[in-house]
């Protein structure tokens, strides 16, 4: 059985990498998101067209290793036509399959063909390659208003932690402390106080999704910086997985800096 699964896995990766399905820019997409895997250099952009709470169409573009591209291709095939709650449930199952939270058997029938990715579990460094498209898909689903995000200055910062569970908010605080140890390469202030971290989503499973930007789109240090953010947040106890989504909307400007950061740089 295991050997068989490994064979199917190799076959699926080769096939989908050679002929990726739905690899194109989707005209008229109403939701998009960009994902980046600093561990491997994989990049993917996911396009969605949502109608009546259902994925009417999905496409992707990107570059990266065979696993990342094959996974994006299979993701696009798997979610087309599904309802959004169904897609998010599938994300959970897929993520659990790869990170080993539950045994593969109990979830395999929901996952269909995707179960071949259980083979990736034996190569932990590649898990991120396989989950990138799914994390990006989920970001796109939640990015309903990304292109129309109002620039609301300081009002965009509060993001209160849910009171329902104390654990995530405590973890969130530790993540913020960790992010405060990472300085921007161009402005000598940490990323958090610089206002580059737009959003920190902490889930009960320990999965952390960070939406962030950089001071300039052409930042030559971008890859190294994202890698550092990933590594820093991953090292916080309680964090099981990290996804960093780099966004350019809203564009960063100096008004987003914290008061102390403005004083520190003499910009107050
Ligand atoms: Zn990869």
């Amino acid at each position: 059985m295991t050997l068989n699964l490994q064979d199917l896995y190799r076959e699926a990766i080769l096939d989908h990498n050679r002929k990726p399905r739905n690899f194109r820019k989707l005209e008229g997409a109403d939701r998009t998101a960009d994902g980046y895997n600093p561990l491997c250099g994989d990049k993917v952009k996911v396009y969605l067209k949502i109608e009546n709470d259902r994925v009417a169409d999905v496409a992707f573009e990107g570059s990266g290793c065979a696993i990342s591209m094959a996974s994006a291709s299979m993701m696009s095939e798997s979610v087309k036509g599904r309802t959004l709650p169904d897609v998010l449930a599938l994300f959970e199952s897929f993520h659990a399959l790869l990170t080993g939270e539950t045994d593969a058997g109990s979830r395999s029938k929901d996952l269909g063909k995707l179960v071949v990715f259980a083979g990736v579990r034996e190569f932990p460094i590649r898990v991120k390659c396989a989950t990138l498209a799914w994390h990006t898909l989920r970001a796109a689903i939640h990015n309903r208003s990304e292109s129309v995000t109002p620039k609301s200055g300081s009002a965009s910062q509060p993001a209160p932690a849910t009171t329902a569970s104390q654990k995530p908010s405590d973890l969130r605080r530790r993540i913020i402390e960790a992010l405060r140890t990472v300085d921007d390469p161009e402005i000598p202030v940490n990323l958090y106080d610089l206002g580059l971290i737009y959003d920190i989503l902490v889930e009960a499973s320990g999965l952390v999704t960070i939406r962030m930007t950089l001071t300039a789109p052409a930042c030559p240090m971008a890859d190294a910086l994202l890698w550092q953010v990933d590594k820093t947040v991953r090292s916080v106890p309680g964090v099981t997985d990290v996804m960093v989504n780099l966004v350019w909307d809203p564009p960063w400007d100096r008004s987003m800096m914290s008061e102390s950061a403005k004083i520190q740089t003499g910009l107050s």
Side-chain angles (χ1 to χ4, degrees):
M1 172 64 192
T2 308
L3 187 66
N4 195 11
L5 198 58
Q6 283 293 351
D7 288 345
L8 288 171
Y9 165 67
R10 267 189 289 271
E11 216 169 276
I13 298 290
L14 287 174
D15 176 41
H16 281 265
N17 184 48
R18 208 160 31 213
K19 295 175 292 178
R21 283 39 152 202
N22 306 302
F23 188 98
R24 63 180 195 278
K25 181 176 181 180
L26 181 58
E27 298 299 336
D30 46 19
R31 303 188 201 185
T32 64
D34 292 283
Y36 175 56
N37 170 16
L39 303 179
C40 182
D42 311 315
K43 288 182 178 148
V44 64
K45 184 179 190 82
V46 170
Y47 302 90
L48 287 176
K49 206 180 281 184
I50 307 292
E51 280 163 20
N52 300 324
D53 221 29
R54 193 175 282 276
V55 177
D57 206 357
V58 52
F60 76 100
E61 289 179 306
S63 61
C65 69
I67 295 174
S68 67
M69 291 299 108
S71 179
S73 171
M74 289 179 76
M75 175 278 286
S76 71
E77 276 195 324
S78 307
V79 303
K80 200 181 275 189
R82 285 189 192 243
T83 64
L84 296 187
D86 207 14
V87 168
L88 293 172
L90 195 62
F91 168 91
E92 295 295 333
S93 296
F94 187 73
H95 194 260
L97 175 78
L98 270 88
T99 55
E101 287 159 32
T102 55
D103 68 303
S106 68
R107 302 246 189 178
S108 51
K109 63 176 182 293
D110 312 330
L111 287 165
K113 280 194 246 174
L114 297 170
V115 77
V116 299
F117 279 97
V120 177
R121 284 162 76 158
E122 292 173 32
F123 311 98
I125 192 108
R126 311 313 297 273
V127 165
K128 206 134 186 207
C129 303
T131 55
L132 177 67
W134 288 87
H135 281 294
T136 311
L137 166 74
R138 199 173 61 149
I141 288 173
H142 294 307
N143 268 359
R144 183 193 307 262
S145 57
E146 193 187 39
S147 57
V148 292
T149 306
K151 229 169 122 183
S152 48
S154 59
S156 64
Q157 280 303 52
T162 48
T163 49
S165 144
Q166 201 52 44
K167 210 172 145 212
S169 75
D170 193 49
L171 185 54
R172 190 173 186 280
R173 195 175 43 74
R174 293 202 300 276
I175 290 165
I176 290 170
E177 285 316 305
L179 286 168
R180 282 201 159 113
T181 67
V182 182
D183 278 358
D184 184 80
E186 285 162 11
I187 305 172
V189 174
N190 72 74
L191 303 183
Y192 189 80
D193 285 311
L194 210 44
L196 296 176
I197 308 295
Y198 285 170
D199 204 19
I200 302 171
L201 179 71
V202 180
E203 292 174 47
S205 65
L207 168 62
V208 176
T209 307
I210 294 185
R211 201 158 60 87
M212 65 175 287
T213 193
L214 299 173
T215 53
C219 176
M221 301 294 289
D223 285 9
L225 198 60
L226 295 179
W227 163 271
Q228 207 183 341
V229 168
D230 185 285
K231 203 175 90 185
T232 302
V233 174
R234 194 174 292 273
S235 70
V236 174
V239 173
T240 57
D241 194 7
V242 182
M243 181 64 204
V244 180
N245 289 319
L246 184 60
V247 298
W248 301 108
D249 197 10
W252 177 85
D253 68 53
R254 286 166 191 268
S255 71
M256 294 170 174
M257 292 163 71
S258 71
E259 286 311 310
S260 70
K262 285 178 188 164
I263 292 165
Q264 205 180 328
T265 54
L267 289 168
S268 64

